[in-house]
Amino acid sequence: MRTLSTPSPALIFPPNSPTFQNGRGSSTSSSSVTGETVAMVHSPPPTRLTHPLIRLASKHQKEQANIDRLPDHSMIQIFSFLPTNQLCRCARVCRRWYNLAWDPRLWRTIRLTGETINVDRALKVLTRRLCQDTPNVCLMLETVIVSGCRRLTDRGLYTIAQCCPELRRLEVSGCYNISNEAVFDVVSLCPNLEHLDVSGCSKVTCISLTREASIKLSPLHGKQISIRYLDMTDCFVLEDEGLHTIAAHCTQLTHLYLRRCVRITDEGLRYLMIYCTSIKELSVSDCRFVSDFGMREIAKLESRLRYLSIAHCGRITDVGIRYIAKYCSKLRYLNARGCEGITDHGVEYLAKNCTKLKSLDIGKCPLVSDTGLEFLALNCFNLKRLSLKSCESITGQGLQIVAANCFDLQMLNVQDCDVSVDALRFVKRHCKRCIIEHTNPAFF
């Protein structure tokens, strides 16, 4: 008779760390293991606990606990809110909880966090347990989130690639030890992968299929990767050639974030627009070599583009803004903070052509004045978020025009602007739901 086993909480959560942060609260680890996190496997707990304190309990305390009266489906619903390490702890309470905690419906997602956790071994033990009913493959696992696990290496990603053919979402942000080869294995062996976050993975320079996978697949589909969401923020070594390869393989991209990929130029954006014509959201913030010529390429997305971030791209001027405004009329979000070449003329053209704009950041654009704000107020009535931080030419008059026309304004940033208290109060009266971020100590 085969005995099932469950990973220890000491495997999932580093014992030296006092709390576990999961967005819903924290929990204290009860493991007595010291040193680095190790992989341990335990047999299912006995039906009845035999701790001395339990034997000394009163007759009333020996009665069934209230939570045990809940039906299985309710218990599974409760367990569904627990992170991976807590779920493994629950599996050690009693035999019923063990069976419920390993219900396949609870294991569509694995979420591990922590800088000290031995995440490679954790993934190996967890996938081995999840593969017991379907040898060598975890058919139910669709999401793996190991962001911030700095000890993750190529070995851990290879485990995922080998055991999780149905994987749809992978987040490994901040795991700087993984390389191109490991990412290639994942995208080659997980054909349904749609969401990939490799932000902060400084060794990743490209996204492509392995050579073996390209040979096995038919010529028609040999270069197709189903990724739609790709975040490569802070991948500093990504260059135009790598972006060219990504574009050629990931033609279904709709969301692409290249923040602080400082080696990307207009040429890389030209490659991107040749292959990826369905992009809705694009960020090239802090890509200092991107200029107005790059904006001309991005404008080829036309009405499909809804979100664009070009913050701190100092080579972009009114010319680039005119390209975007002319062809991308359905743009909803634009972040142009720090683009000092933008003036009132660029804002005017943007306001008259992108009338459905909901969020605009033109902070640190010293050449934008009240004239530009007037064009925004008279054309973009649906504006909800506006940042004018450190715009030296903005005054209270421009803010009053905006407030009198954009009643749905919800956020206004006027930090480091020369704006009077009366103007701020005027905004508050006309835009009652607006949160104002300011640096005027007289206004509260």
Side-chain angles (χ1 to χ4, degrees):
M1 177 179 178
R2 184 176 63 176
T3 301
L4 300 180
S5 58
T6 179
S8 165
L11 162 67
I12 308 303
F13 185 61
N16 291 339
S17 185
T19 57
F20 176 82
Q21 303 296 333
N22 60 12
R24 301 186 182 93
S26 62
S27 175
T28 302
S29 175
S30 60
S31 174
S32 61
V33 182
T34 59
E36 75 165 11
T37 303
V38 294
M40 297 194 301
V41 178
H42 295 273
S43 300
T47 305
R48 183 175 297 176
L49 298 177
T50 58
H51 194 279
L53 293 179
I54 296 180
R55 290 200 298 269
L56 296 176
S58 64
K59 181 178 180 181
H60 177 72
Q61 290 174 324
K62 290 182 179 180
E63 295 178 358
Q64 189 179 32
N66 289 334
I67 194 170
D68 288 332
R69 298 175 183 174
L70 294 175
D72 288 353
H73 66 85
S74 297
M75 292 292 293
I76 291 175
Q77 180 66 24
I78 294 173
F79 286 169
S80 68
F81 293 98
L82 299 179
T84 300
N85 74 310
Q86 300 287 0
L87 197 56
C88 288
R89 287 194 179 110
C90 289
R92 301 181 65 194
V93 172
C94 64
R95 187 170 294 276
R96 182 192 177 214
W97 281 35
Y98 175 89
N99 293 328
L100 293 176
W102 286 105
D103 187 287
R105 289 170 289 182
L106 297 175
W107 290 95
R108 293 190 176 97
T109 298
I110 289 179
R111 185 189 300 269
L112 301 173
T113 59
E115 296 183 1
T116 60
I117 183 173
N118 190 338
V119 67
D120 289 348
R121 193 174 298 182
L123 290 171
K124 183 177 181 180
V125 174
L126 284 172
T127 52
R128 182 187 301 168
R129 172 59 183 83
L130 295 173
C131 289
Q132 286 188 344
D133 295 330
T134 53
N136 301 323
V137 290
C138 305
L139 295 179
M140 76 289 289
L141 190 59
E142 297 180 352
T143 301
V144 175
I145 301 175
V146 289
S147 298
C149 296
R150 297 185 177 182
R151 296 182 63 185
L152 177 70
T153 66
D154 290 353
R155 185 180 301 176
L157 281 190
Y158 185 72
T159 298
I160 295 174
Q162 289 289 321
C163 300
C164 308
E166 298 299 321
L167 191 69
R168 295 182 180 275
R169 180 179 182 132
L170 176 63
E171 296 185 14
V172 292
S173 62
C175 303
Y176 50 74
N177 289 319
I178 64 174
S179 66
N180 284 341
E181 288 71 21
V183 176
F184 291 178
D185 285 333
V186 172
V187 298
S188 298
L189 298 176
C190 303
N192 297 322
L193 187 67
E194 296 181 347
H195 182 116
L196 178 61
D197 184 351
V198 291
S199 56
C201 300
S202 55
K203 295 182 180 179
V204 177
T205 63
C206 186
I207 306 294
S208 176
L209 294 170
T210 60
R211 184 177 181 182
E212 293 78 8
S214 297
I215 294 175
K216 290 179 181 179
L217 294 174
S218 65
L220 181 61
H221 300 92
K223 292 186 177 182
Q224 299 302 310
I225 298 175
S226 57
I227 293 176
R228 298 179 183 274
Y229 179 105
L230 178 61
D231 191 344
M232 298 192 70
T233 298
D234 293 322
C235 291
F236 307 115
V237 293
L238 176 65
E239 298 181 346
D240 290 341
E241 184 178 355
L243 188 57
H244 185 185
T245 303
I246 292 172
H249 285 79
C250 306
T251 57
Q252 300 180 48
L253 277 175
T254 58
H255 297 70
L256 178 61
Y257 305 95
L258 303 172
R259 305 180 189 97
R260 292 180 291 280
C261 293
V262 294
R263 300 185 182 183
I264 295 298
T265 71
D266 297 333
E267 185 68 10
L269 295 180
R270 186 179 71 84
Y271 292 140
L272 187 64
M273 297 308 129
I274 291 175
Y275 298 99
C276 303
T277 58
S278 301
I279 292 179
K280 297 178 181 179
E281 295 193 9
L282 176 64
S283 175
V284 290
S285 297
D286 295 282
C287 296
R288 59 178 180 268
F289 295 119
V290 172
S291 69
D292 293 333
F293 293 103
M295 294 299 97
R296 183 179 63 182
E297 297 298 327
I298 293 175
K300 295 178 181 178
L301 293 172
E302 298 180 343
S303 60
R304 293 179 291 276
L305 187 65
R306 303 299 176 91
Y307 171 109
L308 177 63
S309 180
I310 53 175
H312 305 291
C313 294
R315 301 189 180 190
I316 295 176
T317 67
D318 288 344
V319 176
I321 296 298
R322 286 172 67 95
Y323 279 122
I324 297 299
K326 182 177 180 180
Y327 296 101
C328 305
S329 58
K330 293 186 178 181
L331 193 68
R332 300 290 192 274
Y333 174 101
L334 177 64
N335 182 358
R337 174 175 293 194
C339 296
E340 298 183 355
I342 298 177
T343 71
D344 289 333
H345 296 294
V347 176
E348 175 187 359
Y349 211 80
L350 182 69
K352 290 182 176 179
N353 289 274
C354 300
T355 57
K356 296 183 179 180
L357 202 64
K358 292 185 177 181
S359 179
L360 177 64
D361 188 340
I362 47 177
K364 298 184 179 180
C365 295
L367 301 180
V368 175
S369 68
D370 293 343
T371 303
L373 292 187
E374 184 175 355
F375 287 116
L376 279 176
L378 297 178
N379 293 278
C380 301
F381 303 110
N382 296 320
L383 199 63
K384 297 182 182 297
R385 301 174 65 88
L386 177 62
S387 178
L388 305 169
K389 182 178 180 180
S390 301
C391 287
E392 303 169 356
S393 303
I394 297 296
T395 68
Q397 182 179 356
L399 292 187
Q400 291 179 2
I401 297 174
V402 171
N405 292 273
C406 303
F407 303 110
D408 293 332
L409 198 64
Q410 297 177 3
M411 194 285 292
L412 176 64
N413 188 339
V414 288
Q415 292 176 336
D416 301 319
C417 294
D418 186 16
V419 179
S420 66
V421 174
D422 292 337
L424 295 178
R425 289 173 178 168
F426 184 90
V427 173
K428 201 61 181 177
R429 283 198 304 270
H430 286 75
C431 306
K432 300 185 183 300
R433 295 187 299 170
C434 183
I435 298 174
I436 303 175
E437 299 179 14
H438 62 92
T439 51
N440 192 329
F443 177 77
F444 53 89

